[in-house]
């Protein structure tokens, strides 16, 4: 358990490679040369053990590494925010998209972590899991603990970067911020967009966000049943549906966020939109 599985993409988009992400939860640097990954067959035996690295790379405490056969192709589709955390390896274990079992071992065959996964582990609102990774919510809970894995937020993946979904350290009320107080979408580089920042208390929350004008008429939908990560940011460019240019004035963001266990929170946030006089 010094190193654990942290995120996997067993069912990638067409032509995009799979990846397996590892996290070092220990207080020591660990050489990737000492690690192997493999699949467990249905009869319980272990498949071919795959070497992760031969260059002596160290996985530092509190860091992660995403293993893939083609970093360029993977990062052409997903936003690899910390590209240095992507490790190219010769071959990954067999990873069926519907279900499988991954095993992380030392070079001497001592099992470090084992992950049974299936498409059923995705969030209930994810109707199409292809291209969506599974993220571990809590590295200090065993990989096979029910509910410890879920879909990456916003229908994607975070290879080599902190998971979008994480178990809450403490359950607090939502933090919903709309900034700035006044924005002006005139492309001068200063407050051109309204920024809605959502900080969730835990994984699996879903959002609906609609912008209304001062008369209560809906002018723009920013999110419909959007699966959120723990932290999400939505932007509004001041345009209505079908890129309709809206007049300056007061606008209201109606934010509705809910979880699958029945919690619902609704908030209204007001912002002013200014435009240059002509």
């Amino acid at each position: 358990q010094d190193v654990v599985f942290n995120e996997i993409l067993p069912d990638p988009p067409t032509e995009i490679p799979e990846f397996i992400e590892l996290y070092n939860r220990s207080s020591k640097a660990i050489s990737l040369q000492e690690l192997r990954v493999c699949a467990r067959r249905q009869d319980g035996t272990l498949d071919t053990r795959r070497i992760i690295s031969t260059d002596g790379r160290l996985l530092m405490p509190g860091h992660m590494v995403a293993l893939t056969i083609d970093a360029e192709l993977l990062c052409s589709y997903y936003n690899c925010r910390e590209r240095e955390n992507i490790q190219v390896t010769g071959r990954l274990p067999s990873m069926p998209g519907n279900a499988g079992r991954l095993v992380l071992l030392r070079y001497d065959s001592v099992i470090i972590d084992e992950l049974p996964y299936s498409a059923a582990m995705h969030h209930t609102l994810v109707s199409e899991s292809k291209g969506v990774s599974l993220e571990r919510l809590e590295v200090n809970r065993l990989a096979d603990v029910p509910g410890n894995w879920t879909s990456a937020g916003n229908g994607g993946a975070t290879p080599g970067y902190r998971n979008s979904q994480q178990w809450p350290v403490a359950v607090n009320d939502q933090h919903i911020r709309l900034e700035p107080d006044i924005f002006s979408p005139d492309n001068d580089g200063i407050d051109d967009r309204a920024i809605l920042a959502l900080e969730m208390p835990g994984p699996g929350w879903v959002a609906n966000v609609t912008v209304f004008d001062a008369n209560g008429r809906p002018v723009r939908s920013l999110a419909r049943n959007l699966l959120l990560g723990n932290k999400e940011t939505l932007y509004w460019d001041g345009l209505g549906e079908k890129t309709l240019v809206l007049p300056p004035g007061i606008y209201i963001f109606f934010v509705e966020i809910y979880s699958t266990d029945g919690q619902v929170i609704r908030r209204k946030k007001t912002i002013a939109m200014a435009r240059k006089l002509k």
Side-chain angles (χ1 to χ4, degrees):
Q1 294 293 305
D2 279 346
V3 182
V4 295
F5 292 112
N6 194 50
E7 183 177 0
I8 61 170
L9 181 67
D11 191 12
T14 305
E15 306 299 330
I16 302 301
E18 304 160 329
F19 76 83
I20 297 173
E21 185 181 86
L22 306 177
Y23 178 80
N24 183 356
R25 59 182 291 272
S26 76
S27 59
K28 56 198 175 195
I30 295 175
S31 172
L32 294 182
Q33 284 183 299
E34 299 181 4
L35 303 178
R36 306 287 187 269
V37 288
C38 71
R40 188 179 289 281
R41 302 187 187 99
Q42 290 185 351
D43 63 5
T45 60
L46 297 181
D47 204 347
T48 305
R49 296 157 176 79
R50 304 296 179 187
I51 295 174
I52 291 176
S53 173
T54 59
D55 60 6
R57 176 174 179 170
L58 295 177
L59 182 58
M60 303 305 290
H63 284 66
M64 61 199 67
V65 61
L67 314 174
T68 186
I69 61 171
D70 192 326
E72 292 296 328
L73 201 54
L74 179 69
C75 296
S76 71
Y77 189 90
Y78 296 105
N79 181 13
C80 299
R81 300 187 187 184
E82 295 185 4
R83 189 67 171 268
E84 66 274 13
N85 291 341
I86 309 296
Q87 171 74 29
V88 175
T89 189
R91 194 171 178 184
L92 291 178
S94 173
M95 296 172 63
N98 58 335
R101 198 174 189 101
L102 293 173
V103 182
L104 178 65
L105 313 92
R106 286 193 330 205
Y107 66 93
D108 57 1
S109 298
V110 173
I111 293 177
I112 303 173
D113 196 19
E114 185 161 352
L115 168 62
Y117 71 87
S118 71
M121 295 162 67
H122 280 284
H123 193 280
T124 54
L125 289 178
V126 174
S127 58
E128 178 53 70
S129 60
K130 190 175 186 64
V132 181
S133 72
L134 285 168
E135 294 182 328
R136 191 175 188 146
L137 300 178
E138 173 55 72
V139 296
N140 295 318
R141 294 172 182 243
L142 294 177
D144 59 356
V145 170
N148 199 23
W149 292 80
T150 191
S151 309
N154 210 2
T158 56
Y161 191 68
R162 70 172 183 269
N163 290 352
S164 64
Q165 304 278 20
Q166 298 174 29
W167 204 274
V169 176
V171 178
N172 299 314
D173 191 17
Q174 316 301 329
H175 298 285
I176 303 175
R177 302 188 309 277
L178 182 59
E179 300 173 343
D181 294 331
I182 302 173
F183 80 109
S184 54
D186 49 20
N187 295 320
D188 63 355
I190 303 174
D191 295 335
D192 287 322
R193 298 183 296 178
I195 303 172
L196 180 67
L198 304 172
E199 184 174 350
M200 314 312 300
W205 288 78
V206 177
N208 293 311
V209 180
T210 305
V211 182
F212 292 83
D213 65 16
N215 295 315
R217 295 172 297 202
V219 295
R220 181 75 177 272
S221 174
L222 296 182
R224 289 191 181 97
N225 294 326
L226 175 65
L227 178 60
L228 301 171
N230 284 74
K231 293 184 179 181
E232 291 285 355
T233 304
L234 300 177
Y235 301 95
W236 183 42
D237 55 9
L239 298 176
E241 300 294 347
K242 299 180 180 180
T243 66
L244 177 67
V245 177
L246 298 173
I250 302 298
Y251 289 86
I252 300 99
F253 280 57
F254 179 66
V255 182
E256 180 184 54
I257 47 180
Y258 58 94
S259 64
T260 53
D261 63 2
Q263 298 182 69
V264 180
I265 295 177
R266 298 180 177 91
R267 294 288 187 274
K268 292 180 181 179
K269 297 286 184 178
T270 302
I271 196 169
M273 179 170 65
R275 292 193 183 276
K276 288 184 178 180
L277 296 175
K278 295 183 179 179

